[in-house]
Amino acid sequence: MKPPKKHARDVLAVAARAGGSFLRHQGYNHAAAAAFYSLLSVIPVFFLAVLLLGELLGDRGQALAVAGKQLSGLVPWFDDE
């Protein structure tokens, strides 16, 4: 087993290499793009969920009401009315 001091140095060396590689390969741009595209995909997934819930419940209006009720719990400014 390695002494704790050497182990900590190894961990810091790996973290420094990972951070340098992240910056060298423009990790911030890739992270921003992934966040943007995942945010854009939320709306179609929501509509798909309402469609499937409507098929399960047999009534799309009821499915939309259930989805709206759930959404109002997540988004404070979303009104169910």
mmCIF file of all heavy atoms in Angstrom, residues 25-67:
data_model
loop_
_atom_site.group_PDB
_atom_site.id
_atom_site.type_symbol
_atom_site.label_atom_id
_atom_site.label_comp_id
_atom_site.label_asym_id
_atom_site.label_seq_id
_atom_site.Cartn_x
_atom_site.Cartn_y
_atom_site.Cartn_z
ATOM 1 N N HIS A 25 -9.341 20.642 -24.669
ATOM 2 C CA HIS A 25 -10.327 20.137 -25.626
ATOM 3 C C HIS A 25 -11.648 20.914 -25.561
ATOM 4 O O HIS A 25 -12.693 20.416 -25.994
ATOM 5 C CB HIS A 25 -10.585 18.657 -25.382
ATOM 6 C CG HIS A 25 -9.397 17.802 -25.661
ATOM 7 N ND1 HIS A 25 -8.936 17.575 -26.932
ATOM 8 C CD2 HIS A 25 -8.561 17.140 -24.832
ATOM 9 C CE1 HIS A 25 -7.881 16.794 -26.881
ATOM 10 N NE2 HIS A 25 -7.624 16.514 -25.611
ATOM 11 N N GLN A 26 -11.584 22.123 -25.030
ATOM 12 C CA GLN A 26 -12.735 23.041 -24.961
ATOM 13 C C GLN A 26 -13.935 22.382 -24.280
ATOM 14 O O GLN A 26 -15.055 22.371 -24.792
ATOM 15 C CB GLN A 26 -13.098 23.539 -26.355
ATOM 16 C CG GLN A 26 -11.966 24.302 -27.003
ATOM 17 C CD GLN A 26 -12.283 24.710 -28.417
ATOM 18 O OE1 GLN A 26 -13.258 24.260 -29.006
ATOM 19 N NE2 GLN A 26 -11.447 25.549 -28.974
ATOM 20 N N GLY A 27 -13.687 21.876 -23.080
ATOM 21 C CA GLY A 27 -14.726 21.196 -22.319
ATOM 22 C C GLY A 27 -15.904 22.083 -21.971
ATOM 23 O O GLY A 27 -17.045 21.631 -21.911
ATOM 24 N N TYR A 28 -15.636 23.374 -21.725
ATOM 25 C CA TYR A 28 -16.739 24.287 -21.398
ATOM 26 C C TYR A 28 -17.712 24.418 -22.577
ATOM 27 O O TYR A 28 -18.935 24.457 -22.375
ATOM 28 C CB TYR A 28 -16.210 25.670 -21.007
ATOM 29 C CG TYR A 28 -15.591 25.701 -19.636
ATOM 30 C CD1 TYR A 28 -14.261 26.042 -19.474
ATOM 31 C CD2 TYR A 28 -16.333 25.398 -18.508
ATOM 32 C CE1 TYR A 28 -13.680 26.068 -18.222
ATOM 33 C CE2 TYR A 28 -15.777 25.424 -17.245
ATOM 34 C CZ TYR A 28 -14.448 25.762 -17.112
ATOM 35 O OH TYR A 28 -13.876 25.788 -15.876
ATOM 36 N N ASN A 29 -17.189 24.479 -23.776
ATOM 37 C CA ASN A 29 -18.064 24.562 -24.950
ATOM 38 C C ASN A 29 -18.900 23.290 -25.114
ATOM 39 O O ASN A 29 -20.085 23.350 -25.440
ATOM 40 C CB ASN A 29 -17.246 24.808 -26.211
ATOM 41 C CG ASN A 29 -16.690 26.207 -26.265
ATOM 42 O OD1 ASN A 29 -17.170 27.101 -25.583
ATOM 43 N ND2 ASN A 29 -15.653 26.393 -27.044
ATOM 44 N N HIS A 30 -18.260 22.150 -24.907
ATOM 45 C CA HIS A 30 -18.993 20.882 -25.026
ATOM 46 C C HIS A 30 -20.054 20.744 -23.930
ATOM 47 O O HIS A 30 -21.160 20.263 -24.183
ATOM 48 C CB HIS A 30 -18.024 19.699 -24.972
ATOM 49 C CG HIS A 30 -17.145 19.596 -26.172
ATOM 50 N ND1 HIS A 30 -17.619 19.213 -27.395
ATOM 51 C CD2 HIS A 30 -15.828 19.851 -26.334
ATOM 52 C CE1 HIS A 30 -16.625 19.223 -28.272
ATOM 53 N NE2 HIS A 30 -15.518 19.615 -27.641
ATOM 54 N N ALA A 31 -19.726 21.170 -22.719
ATOM 55 C CA ALA A 31 -20.692 21.117 -21.620
ATOM 56 C C ALA A 31 -21.876 22.043 -21.892
ATOM 57 O O ALA A 31 -23.034 21.681 -21.641
ATOM 58 C CB ALA A 31 -20.020 21.483 -20.304
ATOM 59 N N ALA A 32 -21.593 23.236 -22.410
ATOM 60 C CA ALA A 32 -22.669 24.178 -22.725
ATOM 61 C C ALA A 32 -23.557 23.634 -23.842
ATOM 62 O O ALA A 32 -24.784 23.766 -23.793
ATOM 63 C CB ALA A 32 -22.084 25.524 -23.127
ATOM 64 N N ALA A 33 -22.954 23.013 -24.839
ATOM 65 C CA ALA A 33 -23.735 22.443 -25.939
ATOM 66 C C ALA A 33 -24.609 21.295 -25.444
ATOM 67 O O ALA A 33 -25.782 21.192 -25.827
ATOM 68 C CB ALA A 33 -22.816 21.952 -27.051
ATOM 69 N N ALA A 34 -24.068 20.452 -24.584
ATOM 70 C CA ALA A 34 -24.863 19.336 -24.036
ATOM 71 C C ALA A 34 -26.027 19.864 -23.209
ATOM 72 O O ALA A 34 -27.152 19.349 -23.297
ATOM 73 C CB ALA A 34 -23.980 18.423 -23.200
ATOM 74 N N ALA A 35 -25.790 20.904 -22.407
ATOM 75 C CA ALA A 35 -26.865 21.490 -21.603
ATOM 76 C C ALA A 35 -27.936 22.121 -22.496
ATOM 77 O O ALA A 35 -29.137 21.961 -22.246
ATOM 78 C CB ALA A 35 -26.294 22.530 -20.653
ATOM 79 N N PHE A 36 -27.508 22.821 -23.539
ATOM 80 C CA PHE A 36 -28.449 23.473 -24.448
ATOM 81 C C PHE A 36 -29.322 22.456 -25.168
ATOM 82 O O PHE A 36 -30.545 22.597 -25.209
ATOM 83 C CB PHE A 36 -27.658 24.311 -25.457
ATOM 84 C CG PHE A 36 -28.516 25.000 -26.471
ATOM 85 C CD1 PHE A 36 -29.290 26.081 -26.117
ATOM 86 C CD2 PHE A 36 -28.539 24.572 -27.791
ATOM 87 C CE1 PHE A 36 -30.081 26.730 -27.055
ATOM 88 C CE2 PHE A 36 -29.321 25.207 -28.732
ATOM 89 C CZ PHE A 36 -30.096 26.291 -28.362
ATOM 90 N N TYR A 37 -28.706 21.401 -25.705
ATOM 91 C CA TYR A 37 -29.483 20.407 -26.437
ATOM 92 C C TYR A 37 -30.378 19.592 -25.516
ATOM 93 O O TYR A 37 -31.480 19.201 -25.902
ATOM 94 C CB TYR A 37 -28.570 19.500 -27.256
ATOM 95 C CG TYR A 37 -28.018 20.195 -28.465
ATOM 96 C CD1 TYR A 37 -26.653 20.340 -28.650
ATOM 97 C CD2 TYR A 37 -28.860 20.752 -29.419
ATOM 98 C CE1 TYR A 37 -26.148 20.997 -29.752
ATOM 99 C CE2 TYR A 37 -28.360 21.417 -30.521
ATOM 100 C CZ TYR A 37 -27.016 21.532 -30.685
ATOM 101 O OH TYR A 37 -26.515 22.186 -31.765
ATOM 102 N N SER A 38 -29.945 19.347 -24.296
ATOM 103 C CA SER A 38 -30.822 18.627 -23.372
ATOM 104 C C SER A 38 -32.004 19.504 -22.973
ATOM 105 O O SER A 38 -33.124 19.014 -22.808
ATOM 106 C CB SER A 38 -30.055 18.152 -22.146
ATOM 107 O OG SER A 38 -29.554 19.244 -21.414
ATOM 108 N N LEU A 39 -31.775 20.808 -22.835
ATOM 109 C CA LEU A 39 -32.882 21.718 -22.537
ATOM 110 C C LEU A 39 -33.867 21.777 -23.697
ATOM 111 O O LEU A 39 -35.085 21.784 -23.491
ATOM 112 C CB LEU A 39 -32.338 23.120 -22.231
ATOM 113 C CG LEU A 39 -33.352 24.165 -21.815
ATOM 114 C CD1 LEU A 39 -34.005 23.769 -20.495
ATOM 115 C CD2 LEU A 39 -32.690 25.514 -21.679
ATOM 116 N N LEU A 40 -33.351 21.786 -24.921
ATOM 117 C CA LEU A 40 -34.233 21.793 -26.088
ATOM 118 C C LEU A 40 -35.025 20.494 -26.226
ATOM 119 O O LEU A 40 -36.113 20.484 -26.784
ATOM 120 C CB LEU A 40 -33.426 22.025 -27.364
ATOM 121 C CG LEU A 40 -32.973 23.444 -27.633
ATOM 122 C CD1 LEU A 40 -32.208 23.497 -28.944
ATOM 123 C CD2 LEU A 40 -34.134 24.409 -27.670
ATOM 124 N N SER A 41 -34.487 19.404 -25.731
ATOM 125 C CA SER A 41 -35.176 18.119 -25.877
ATOM 126 C C SER A 41 -36.261 17.919 -24.822
ATOM 127 O O SER A 41 -37.054 16.983 -24.938
ATOM 128 C CB SER A 41 -34.180 16.967 -25.812
ATOM 129 O OG SER A 41 -33.655 16.855 -24.512
ATOM 130 N N VAL A 42 -36.322 18.780 -23.822
ATOM 131 C CA VAL A 42 -37.329 18.623 -22.770
ATOM 132 C C VAL A 42 -38.735 18.841 -23.320
ATOM 133 O O VAL A 42 -39.664 18.109 -22.966
ATOM 134 C CB VAL A 42 -37.033 19.584 -21.602
ATOM 135 C CG1 VAL A 42 -38.190 19.676 -20.642
ATOM 136 C CG2 VAL A 42 -35.783 19.136 -20.875
ATOM 137 N N ILE A 43 -38.922 19.806 -24.175
ATOM 138 C CA ILE A 43 -40.255 20.132 -24.686
ATOM 139 C C ILE A 43 -40.837 18.993 -25.522
ATOM 140 O O ILE A 43 -41.973 18.572 -25.266
ATOM 141 C CB ILE A 43 -40.232 21.474 -25.454
ATOM 142 C CG1 ILE A 43 -39.915 22.599 -24.474
ATOM 143 C CG2 ILE A 43 -41.550 21.726 -26.168
ATOM 144 C CD1 ILE A 43 -39.637 23.914 -25.110
ATOM 145 N N PRO A 44 -40.113 18.425 -26.489
ATOM 146 C CA PRO A 44 -40.686 17.286 -27.217
ATOM 147 C C PRO A 44 -40.943 16.071 -26.328
ATOM 148 O O PRO A 44 -41.928 15.359 -26.518
ATOM 149 C CB PRO A 44 -39.638 16.958 -28.281
ATOM 150 C CG PRO A 44 -38.831 18.173 -28.435
ATOM 151 C CD PRO A 44 -38.864 18.866 -27.118
ATOM 152 N N VAL A 45 -40.082 15.859 -25.349
ATOM 153 C CA VAL A 45 -40.301 14.735 -24.422
ATOM 154 C C VAL A 45 -41.562 14.976 -23.604
ATOM 155 O O VAL A 45 -42.328 14.044 -23.337
ATOM 156 C CB VAL A 45 -39.064 14.521 -23.517
ATOM 157 C CG1 VAL A 45 -39.358 13.589 -22.376
ATOM 158 C CG2 VAL A 45 -37.902 14.003 -24.342
ATOM 159 N N PHE A 46 -41.813 16.223 -23.215
ATOM 160 C CA PHE A 46 -43.031 16.546 -22.479
ATOM 161 C C PHE A 46 -44.270 16.251 -23.331
ATOM 162 O O PHE A 46 -45.229 15.645 -22.856
ATOM 163 C CB PHE A 46 -43.013 18.018 -22.050
ATOM 164 C CG PHE A 46 -44.262 18.462 -21.361
ATOM 165 C CD1 PHE A 46 -44.542 18.044 -20.073
ATOM 166 C CD2 PHE A 46 -45.165 19.286 -21.999
ATOM 167 C CE1 PHE A 46 -45.704 18.450 -19.434
ATOM 168 C CE2 PHE A 46 -46.318 19.705 -21.378
ATOM 169 C CZ PHE A 46 -46.598 19.280 -20.082
ATOM 170 N N PHE A 47 -44.244 16.661 -24.592
ATOM 171 C CA PHE A 47 -45.387 16.393 -25.459
ATOM 172 C C PHE A 47 -45.574 14.897 -25.699
ATOM 173 O O PHE A 47 -46.698 14.401 -25.730
ATOM 174 C CB PHE A 47 -45.246 17.127 -26.793
ATOM 175 C CG PHE A 47 -45.513 18.596 -26.693
ATOM 176 C CD1 PHE A 47 -44.577 19.506 -27.144
ATOM 177 C CD2 PHE A 47 -46.691 19.075 -26.143
ATOM 178 C CE1 PHE A 47 -44.812 20.864 -27.054
ATOM 179 C CE2 PHE A 47 -46.941 20.420 -26.040
ATOM 180 C CZ PHE A 47 -45.997 21.325 -26.494
ATOM 181 N N LEU A 48 -44.487 14.184 -25.835
ATOM 182 C CA LEU A 48 -44.567 12.737 -25.997
ATOM 183 C C LEU A 48 -45.141 12.074 -24.749
ATOM 184 O O LEU A 48 -45.964 11.160 -24.837
ATOM 185 C CB LEU A 48 -43.181 12.167 -26.310
ATOM 186 C CG LEU A 48 -43.111 10.673 -26.587
ATOM 187 C CD1 LEU A 48 -43.931 10.328 -27.825
ATOM 188 C CD2 LEU A 48 -41.679 10.238 -26.765
ATOM 189 N N ALA A 49 -44.738 12.561 -23.578
ATOM 190 C CA ALA A 49 -45.264 12.016 -22.331
ATOM 191 C C ALA A 49 -46.768 12.274 -22.206
ATOM 192 O O ALA A 49 -47.527 11.393 -21.785
ATOM 193 C CB ALA A 49 -44.527 12.616 -21.139
ATOM 194 N N VAL A 50 -47.210 13.467 -22.594
ATOM 195 C CA VAL A 50 -48.650 13.777 -22.550
ATOM 196 C C VAL A 50 -49.409 12.893 -23.532
ATOM 197 O O VAL A 50 -50.486 12.371 -23.219
ATOM 198 C CB VAL A 50 -48.890 15.275 -22.836
ATOM 199 C CG1 VAL A 50 -50.370 15.562 -23.071
ATOM 200 C CG2 VAL A 50 -48.365 16.113 -21.696
ATOM 201 N N LEU A 51 -48.840 12.673 -24.708
ATOM 202 C CA LEU A 51 -49.476 11.816 -25.703
ATOM 203 C C LEU A 51 -49.623 10.385 -25.184
ATOM 204 O O LEU A 51 -50.697 9.779 -25.269
ATOM 205 C CB LEU A 51 -48.665 11.831 -26.995
ATOM 206 C CG LEU A 51 -49.214 10.969 -28.121
ATOM 207 C CD1 LEU A 51 -50.340 11.709 -28.819
ATOM 208 C CD2 LEU A 51 -48.122 10.611 -29.090
ATOM 209 N N LEU A 52 -48.548 9.854 -24.622
ATOM 210 C CA LEU A 52 -48.604 8.487 -24.092
ATOM 211 C C LEU A 52 -49.524 8.379 -22.890
ATOM 212 O O LEU A 52 -50.260 7.397 -22.738
ATOM 213 C CB LEU A 52 -47.203 8.006 -23.728
ATOM 214 C CG LEU A 52 -46.261 7.772 -24.895
ATOM 215 C CD1 LEU A 52 -44.870 7.444 -24.400
ATOM 216 C CD2 LEU A 52 -46.783 6.671 -25.790
ATOM 217 N N LEU A 53 -49.490 9.382 -22.013
ATOM 218 C CA LEU A 53 -50.384 9.385 -20.861
ATOM 219 C C LEU A 53 -51.836 9.481 -21.306
ATOM 220 O O LEU A 53 -52.724 8.847 -20.723
ATOM 221 C CB LEU A 53 -50.027 10.545 -19.934
ATOM 222 C CG LEU A 53 -50.681 10.573 -18.570
ATOM 223 C CD1 LEU A 53 -50.313 9.325 -17.782
ATOM 224 C CD2 LEU A 53 -50.262 11.815 -17.814
ATOM 225 N N GLY A 54 -52.088 10.246 -22.373
ATOM 226 C CA GLY A 54 -53.440 10.336 -22.919
ATOM 227 C C GLY A 54 -53.919 9.006 -23.457
ATOM 228 O O GLY A 54 -55.083 8.649 -23.318
ATOM 229 N N GLU A 55 -53.034 8.262 -24.083
ATOM 230 C CA GLU A 55 -53.408 6.932 -24.579
ATOM 231 C C GLU A 55 -53.690 5.981 -23.419
ATOM 232 O O GLU A 55 -54.606 5.160 -23.495
ATOM 233 C CB GLU A 55 -52.305 6.364 -25.474
ATOM 234 C CG GLU A 55 -52.147 7.092 -26.793
ATOM 235 C CD GLU A 55 -53.401 7.007 -27.657
ATOM 236 O OE1 GLU A 55 -54.031 5.942 -27.693
ATOM 237 O OE2 GLU A 55 -53.736 8.021 -28.299
ATOM 238 N N LEU A 56 -52.909 6.079 -22.355
ATOM 239 C CA LEU A 56 -53.125 5.206 -21.204
ATOM 240 C C LEU A 56 -54.406 5.553 -20.452
ATOM 241 O O LEU A 56 -55.134 4.660 -20.013
ATOM 242 C CB LEU A 56 -51.936 5.281 -20.240
ATOM 243 C CG LEU A 56 -50.651 4.629 -20.712
ATOM 244 C CD1 LEU A 56 -49.534 4.902 -19.716
ATOM 245 C CD2 LEU A 56 -50.843 3.131 -20.875
ATOM 246 N N LEU A 57 -54.665 6.850 -20.296
ATOM 247 C CA LEU A 57 -55.861 7.275 -19.570
ATOM 248 C C LEU A 57 -57.097 7.292 -20.463
ATOM 249 O O LEU A 57 -58.212 7.308 -19.956
ATOM 250 C CB LEU A 57 -55.642 8.668 -18.967
ATOM 251 C CG LEU A 57 -54.572 8.772 -17.882
ATOM 252 C CD1 LEU A 57 -54.414 10.220 -17.460
ATOM 253 C CD2 LEU A 57 -54.914 7.897 -16.698
ATOM 254 N N GLY A 58 -56.910 7.304 -21.753
ATOM 255 C CA GLY A 58 -58.036 7.311 -22.673
ATOM 256 C C GLY A 58 -58.568 8.695 -22.987
ATOM 257 O O GLY A 58 -59.490 8.835 -23.781
ATOM 258 N N ASP A 59 -58.014 9.724 -22.364
ATOM 259 C CA ASP A 59 -58.503 11.083 -22.579
ATOM 260 C C ASP A 59 -57.308 12.034 -22.560
ATOM 261 O O ASP A 59 -56.631 12.158 -21.545
ATOM 262 C CB ASP A 59 -59.500 11.460 -21.482
ATOM 263 C CG ASP A 59 -60.079 12.841 -21.652
ATOM 264 O OD1 ASP A 59 -60.018 13.375 -22.778
ATOM 265 O OD2 ASP A 59 -60.607 13.386 -20.665
ATOM 266 N N ARG A 60 -57.066 12.691 -23.674
ATOM 267 C CA ARG A 60 -55.915 13.597 -23.738
ATOM 268 C C ARG A 60 -56.114 14.832 -22.862
ATOM 269 O O ARG A 60 -55.152 15.377 -22.337
ATOM 270 C CB ARG A 60 -55.656 14.025 -25.178
ATOM 271 C CG ARG A 60 -55.039 12.921 -25.974
ATOM 272 C CD ARG A 60 -54.148 13.444 -27.073
ATOM 273 N NE ARG A 60 -53.581 12.312 -27.791
ATOM 274 C CZ ARG A 60 -53.792 12.054 -29.058
ATOM 275 N NH1 ARG A 60 -54.543 12.867 -29.761
ATOM 276 N NH2 ARG A 60 -53.243 11.012 -29.621
ATOM 277 N N GLY A 61 -57.326 15.273 -22.714
ATOM 278 C CA GLY A 61 -57.600 16.428 -21.850
ATOM 279 C C GLY A 61 -57.241 16.130 -20.409
ATOM 280 O O GLY A 61 -56.642 16.963 -19.714
ATOM 281 N N GLN A 62 -57.594 14.938 -19.963
ATOM 282 C CA GLN A 62 -57.254 14.529 -18.604
ATOM 283 C C GLN A 62 -55.729 14.378 -18.457
ATOM 284 O O GLN A 62 -55.156 14.761 -17.444
ATOM 285 C CB GLN A 62 -57.937 13.221 -18.259
ATOM 286 C CG GLN A 62 -57.725 12.773 -16.830
ATOM 287 C CD GLN A 62 -58.414 11.446 -16.545
ATOM 288 O OE1 GLN A 62 -59.033 10.865 -17.430
ATOM 289 N NE2 GLN A 62 -58.297 10.983 -15.329
ATOM 290 N N ALA A 63 -55.097 13.843 -19.487
ATOM 291 C CA ALA A 63 -53.640 13.692 -19.458
ATOM 292 C C ALA A 63 -52.962 15.049 -19.395
ATOM 293 O O ALA A 63 -51.980 15.235 -18.666
ATOM 294 C CB ALA A 63 -53.167 12.928 -20.680
ATOM 295 N N LEU A 64 -53.478 16.017 -20.131
ATOM 296 C CA LEU A 64 -52.911 17.366 -20.113
ATOM 297 C C LEU A 64 -53.101 18.010 -18.739
ATOM 298 O O LEU A 64 -52.220 18.704 -18.250
ATOM 299 C CB LEU A 64 -53.541 18.220 -21.205
ATOM 300 C CG LEU A 64 -52.843 19.514 -21.556
ATOM 301 C CD1 LEU A 64 -51.399 19.252 -21.941
ATOM 302 C CD2 LEU A 64 -53.562 20.218 -22.676
ATOM 303 N N ALA A 65 -54.250 17.746 -18.114
ATOM 304 C CA ALA A 65 -54.501 18.273 -16.769
ATOM 305 C C ALA A 65 -53.531 17.668 -15.760
ATOM 306 O O ALA A 65 -52.993 18.375 -14.895
ATOM 307 C CB ALA A 65 -55.943 18.001 -16.360
ATOM 308 N N VAL A 66 -53.306 16.364 -15.856
ATOM 309 C CA VAL A 66 -52.363 15.706 -14.948
ATOM 310 C C VAL A 66 -50.955 16.247 -15.169
ATOM 311 O O VAL A 66 -50.231 16.550 -14.219
ATOM 312 C CB VAL A 66 -52.400 14.172 -15.142
ATOM 313 C CG1 VAL A 66 -51.252 13.502 -14.426
ATOM 314 C CG2 VAL A 66 -53.722 13.608 -14.678
ATOM 315 N N ALA A 67 -50.554 16.384 -16.428
ATOM 316 C CA ALA A 67 -49.220 16.916 -16.734
ATOM 317 C C ALA A 67 -49.087 18.363 -16.264
ATOM 318 O O ALA A 67 -48.044 18.758 -15.739
ATOM 319 C CB ALA A 67 -48.960 16.817 -18.225
#
